[in-house]
Amino acid sequence: RCIVLDEADWLLVLNCKVLLQSGVEGSILYQSKCQQHSRWYNLYMMPIIISTNNWIPEERHKIKDHPTNWLRDNSFVIRLGQDKMYE
């Protein structure tokens, strides 16, 4: 079992850090103002694969304290070219 996010943008990962880094306790994704409705998920030990054609632009890595620096340091990127095929 795993979760596959196909064609997810890098901004999605930055905006969903709480979900993607949830631990044993899980995380609340949202709740209504009156706290009557909420959505809770637990993805502990669940592999998450993100495929995209729009990963972080290289020029953003050069900006000090930019949020993409966190993403670069906490992700494993495999760049595939058109001439590669994996079975």
Side-chain angles (χ1 to χ4, degrees):
R1 284 182 11 174
C2 72
I3 295 174
V4 177
L5 303 174
D6 190 26
E7 289 303 321
D9 194 66
W10 59 274
L11 289 170
L12 173 89
V13 178
L14 284 179
N15 292 330
C16 295
K17 282 193 233 180
V18 173
L19 173 66
L20 297 174
Q21 291 185 324
S22 64
V24 179
E25 295 84 21
S27 63
I28 295 176
L29 291 183
Y30 65 85
Q31 63 186 21
S32 62
K33 291 183 181 180
C34 63
Q35 297 180 352
Q36 182 178 0
H37 305 284
S38 67
R39 179 73 62 178
W40 179 86
Y41 285 97
N42 186 351
L43 298 179
Y44 183 67
M45 299 295 289
M46 177 68 67
I48 300 172
I49 300 169
I50 301 170
S51 69
T52 183
N53 289 323
N54 184 22
W55 200 237
I56 310 164
E58 293 297 323
E59 64 271 4
R60 296 190 187 244
H61 291 310
K62 298 173 184 168
I63 303 171
K64 186 179 178 183
D65 297 329
H66 195 273
T68 56
N69 291 335
W70 173 89
L71 187 58
R72 184 194 64 224
D73 295 339
N74 291 284
S75 62
F76 182 74
V77 178
I78 299 174
R79 298 195 184 274
L80 301 177
Q82 292 179 351
D83 58 343
K84 296 179 184 174
M85 183 173 164
Y86 292 90
E87 295 181 17

